[in-house]
Amino acid sequence: ALGAAAPAERAAALLASHPPRGRLGLLEHALDPLARLVAEDYILDALRCYEGDRIACARTLAAGLPSAAAADEAAPGGHAALLADTLLAALLRPPTPALKPVAYAAVMVDVTKLVPGFPRAMSGCVRALFSRVDALDPELADRALDWLAYHLSNFEFMWPWAKWGDVLSAPAFDGRRRFVCGLIARLVNLAYWQRVESVLPTEFRPLLPPQPDPAPLLAAGSDAPAAAAAA
């Protein structure tokens, strides 16, 4: 029995010491596989080394990678695209990311402010992720929604909502429509209903969750509202 279990034990130990990289491959890259492997390790090592100092981590990542090809913003495998793809893949790594999700989210906010091409690359990642949402694990979809809502809350909730306009005519069970509704609900939780309504295009406002109504205060020792009891 021990002999039969040994290969499984060795496999479990190998998996624990060398966890999955979590590569999603959301964007195309011109780098050859070995160069990309080195660049990804550089990014992930920076995240681990500067876990307690997100500003230093963001500055290190924004400074560029030790590869001329990776640092070329115009190339398909450019610095910004590689950063966005690697950071989001690390955040969505199953079953759990190496760091807490907020660590990746905070660094991505800072990198957005430091790397000119990063917002466009990140938008491309979200677009690719959105196109695959029907096949995405529900836990990973929730993690992606939590991150995107946090990210948008740091940038005045600015987002090209019109590009998701086709979900408005989709049925309620459609995965992409559920994704958009989940994002809007999380934005409301991070701000307030009226604030999110003000930034949404008019056609998207029907996807807002019901406007919350405050519960009336109850009189002490009574089930009646305090105002009614005072009257």
Side-chain angles (χ1 to χ4, degrees), residues 161 164-172 176-185 188 193 196 200-210:
W161 297 100
W164 288 353
D166 57 341
V167 307
L168 298 174
S169 58
R176 296 178 306 156
R177 183 184 176 97
R178 290 171 61 87
F179 187 89
V180 176
C181 290
L183 175 60
I184 293 173
V188 171
W193 196 92
V196 177
L200 281 177
T202 304
E203 60 271 22
F204 279 85
R205 291 176 184 173
L207 302 185
L208 277 163

Side-chain angles (χ1 to χ4, degrees), residues 101-123:
V102 70
Y104 301 97
V107 167
M108 282 190 271
V109 167
D110 292 328
V111 171
T112 299
K113 300 173 183 177
L114 296 173
V115 180
F118 190 81
R120 182 177 180 181
M122 185 56 66
S123 179

Side-chain angles (χ1 to χ4, degrees), residues 37-181:
L37 186 68
V38 172
E40 288 177 348
D41 277 346
Y42 176 84
I43 295 170
L44 298 176
D45 285 347
L47 285 170
R48 285 189 290 267
C49 291
Y50 294 100
E51 181 183 356
D53 189 345
R54 79 170 201 272
I55 301 299
C57 181
R59 288 175 177 171
T60 299
L61 296 176
L65 305 175
S67 163
D72 182 2
E73 293 286 349
H79 181 199
L82 190 61
L83 269 178
D85 206 356
T86 304
L87 290 173
L88 189 55
L91 170 64
L92 300 181
R93 191 190 77 172
T96 56
L99 307 175
K100 292 183 178 180
V102 70
Y104 301 97
V107 167
M108 282 190 271
V109 167
D110 292 328
V111 171
T112 299
K113 300 173 183 177
L114 296 173
V115 180
F118 190 81
R120 182 177 180 181
M122 185 56 66
S123 179
C125 285
V126 175
R127 183 168 56 252
L129 194 65
F130 184 70
S131 68
R132 308 176 190 179
V133 71
D134 283 321
L136 194 62
D137 183 276
E139 199 281 329
L140 299 186
D142 284 344
R143 203 184 303 168
L145 284 171
D146 289 340
W147 158 73
L148 185 55
Y150 171 84
H151 194 81
L152 296 183
S153 71
N154 281 272
F155 295 98
E156 300 294 329
F157 302 101
M158 295 174 59
W159 187 251
W161 297 100
K163 293 184 177 180
W164 288 353
D166 57 341
V167 307
L168 298 174
S169 58
F173 59 81
D174 183 84
R176 296 178 306 156
R177 183 184 176 97
R178 290 171 61 87
F179 187 89
V180 176
C181 290

